[in-house]
Amino acid sequence: MTNTNLDSYDFTLLQQLTQTFGPSGQEHNVAALILDQTKNDADTGYTDALGNLIVRKKGHGKKIMIACHMDEVGIMVTHINKQGYLYFAPIGGLRDHVLLAQRFVFANGAVGVVNREEKKKSYENSPERLFLDIGVTSEQEARTMVQEGDMAVFSGTYQETKDCVISKALDNRTGCFIALEVLKRVSSRDDLYFVFTAQEEVGARGAKTAAYALEPDLALNIDTTFSFDMPREYEVPRTSLNKGIAIKVMDRSIVVSPQIKNWMAEIAEQHEIPYQWEIITNGGTDSGPVHLTKGGIPTGGLAIPVRHLHTPGEIASKNDIRSAISLLLALLE
C-alpha cells in the first residue's frame, strides 16, 4: 500500500504557491518559485515562448507529459473614471455575485474592494456595473498606482484545518504542488516532462503549444474540479471532498479513453488508493487541447474536488491531495 502519512508532505509549499501573484499571462513569479523547487530533482527546466515552465526528468522509455496550470483567475483594469474608480474585465470564469465586496490585490501591492453602481431609479432594469475602489479620490491619484491593462487577483489568505486547506488559487496551485511532490519522489525509466502551463483559465492555451512541441506518448493532466457536496435542492452524487482523487471520465472538452481511465482505476485499486469518477458537463481543463494535438495524444486526467471554485475561499481536502500524489506516483512507476 502506498504511504498515506499526511505528515510526509509539507503543505508550507502549497501556501507559498497559492499566495504568489500569477493571473493568466503573468505566471512568471509562480514559474520562478516552481523552478527553484525543482533544481535538485530535475535534469533541465526552461520557460517557452508562451510562458509554460517545462521541467524534464530524463529517462529512456516513453515520453510522458504531466501537465498542471499555474495561472489563477483575476481581473484587468479597462477604464479609470474621474473619481479614480476602476472598471474591469474578468480574467477567467468569474461571476458577479462572487465578486461583490471582495478584495483584489495588484502585483505592486495596491488593494481594492469591488462594489457596484447605484441605479438612479430603483425600478431601472439596466445591468449593474461593478467597479474597484482602491481608496483614492481622483483619476490622477489612481494613475499613480495602476493603469489600464494592469491585473489583480483575489486577496485570499492560506489557512489550514485538521483535514482541509482554505485559500485563493487552490485552482490550480494544488496541481502544481502535487506535481512537485511527485517529482521529488518518482523513480521511472520513462522520459518525464512536468509542464506547468500558462493561460489555462482563458482557454487552455499554454497546454496546447506545449503538447505540440513535445508530442508525448501519453499525457496526464492534474487540475481541480467541482465539489458537489454542498447544500442544494436536489442531490448530485458526483465528486465530493474527502472521497479520494477524481479520475476524469468526461468534461466539456474531452471524453477520456476507457483504456486510460480503467488503467488509472486499476492502479488505484492495486495500491488501495481511494478514488472517485469525475464526470462534469460544463468546464474543461488542459486535457481538452492536449488530446487533440497533432495526430492525437492519449490523455488522462486527475482532479482534486474543491468547494467554492474561483473564489478567495476555495476549500480542498488534504486526504484527496495525498491520494493524488500517491496515484500519480504509482502511475508513473
Side-chain angles (χ1 to χ4, degrees), residues 88-289:
F88 57 84
I91 304 297
L94 293 173
R95 293 170 292 175
D96 286 0
H97 76 275
V98 169
L99 296 177
L100 193 60
Q102 298 293 352
R103 295 184 186 186
F104 279 81
V105 60
F106 290 85
N108 64 3
V111 176
V113 180
V114 176
N115 210 323
R116 63 186 174 195
E117 295 178 345
E118 292 186 10
K119 294 180 178 180
K120 294 180 180 178
K121 299 176 182 178
S122 60
Y123 56 83
E124 279 186 339
N125 291 321
S126 60
E128 296 170 333
R129 291 204 302 170
L130 301 181
F131 61 87
L132 194 68
D133 182 350
I134 57 173
V136 299
T137 57
S138 69
E139 178 182 357
Q140 183 178 6
E141 188 180 359
R143 290 189 180 279
T144 65
M145 301 165 64
V146 297
Q147 300 292 330
E148 291 87 350
D150 287 352
M151 294 185 185
V153 300
F154 282 122
S155 175
T157 57
Y158 177 94
Q159 295 178 296
E160 288 187 36
T161 68
K162 178 176 176 291
D163 298 316
C164 292
V165 291
I166 305 169
S167 179
K168 63 99 170 170
L170 289 179
D171 175 17
N172 182 39
R173 308 291 161 71
T174 308
C176 297
F177 173 75
I178 291 164
L180 287 170
E181 291 298 317
V182 169
L183 177 61
K184 293 175 186 176
R185 295 166 170 80
V186 69
S187 175
S188 173
R189 62 181 293 272
D190 292 316
D191 200 12
L192 306 181
Y193 289 81
F194 290 80
V195 182
F196 301 88
T197 66
Q199 299 193 42
E200 189 272 351
E201 297 291 2
V202 290
R205 297 167 183 170
K208 183 176 182 179
T209 60
Y212 189 92
L214 296 175
E215 199 172 2
D217 299 302
L218 172 68
L220 299 174
N221 185 64
I222 320 162
D223 209 327
T224 59
T225 190
F226 301 103
S227 184
F228 290 92
D229 56 345
M230 301 282 289
R232 58 182 69 234
E233 292 183 65
Y234 54 92
E235 185 177 354
V236 181
R238 297 186 190 174
T239 43
S240 301
L241 255 61
N242 212 33
K243 289 187 177 181
I245 181 62
I247 296 174
K248 184 177 289 295
V249 178
M250 182 187 78
D251 63 31
R252 194 174 59 188
S253 65
I254 185 173
V255 176
V256 177
S257 160
Q259 182 181 4
I260 292 177
K261 69 179 180 65
N262 291 338
W263 162 65
M264 297 171 82
E266 287 168 8
I267 295 296
E269 290 169 4
Q270 288 174 17
H271 290 265
E272 300 179 35
I273 300 168
Y275 72 92
Q276 52 192 313
W277 297 116
E278 184 202 18
I279 304 171
I280 57 176
T281 54
N282 60 336
T285 65
D286 283 338
S287 301

Side-chain angles (χ1 to χ4, degrees), residues 273-324:
I273 300 168
Y275 72 92
Q276 52 192 313
W277 297 116
E278 184 202 18
I279 304 171
I280 57 176
T281 54
N282 60 336
T285 65
D286 283 338
S287 301
V290 168
H291 87 291
L292 297 175
T293 298
K294 290 194 171 179
I297 295 171
T299 302
L302 300 175
I304 299 294
V306 170
R307 293 176 183 163
H308 321 302
L309 274 169
H310 290 188
T311 75
E314 297 175 337
I315 301 178
S317 160
K318 293 179 183 177
N319 280 318
D320 294 341
I321 295 170
R322 185 269 305 160
S323 296

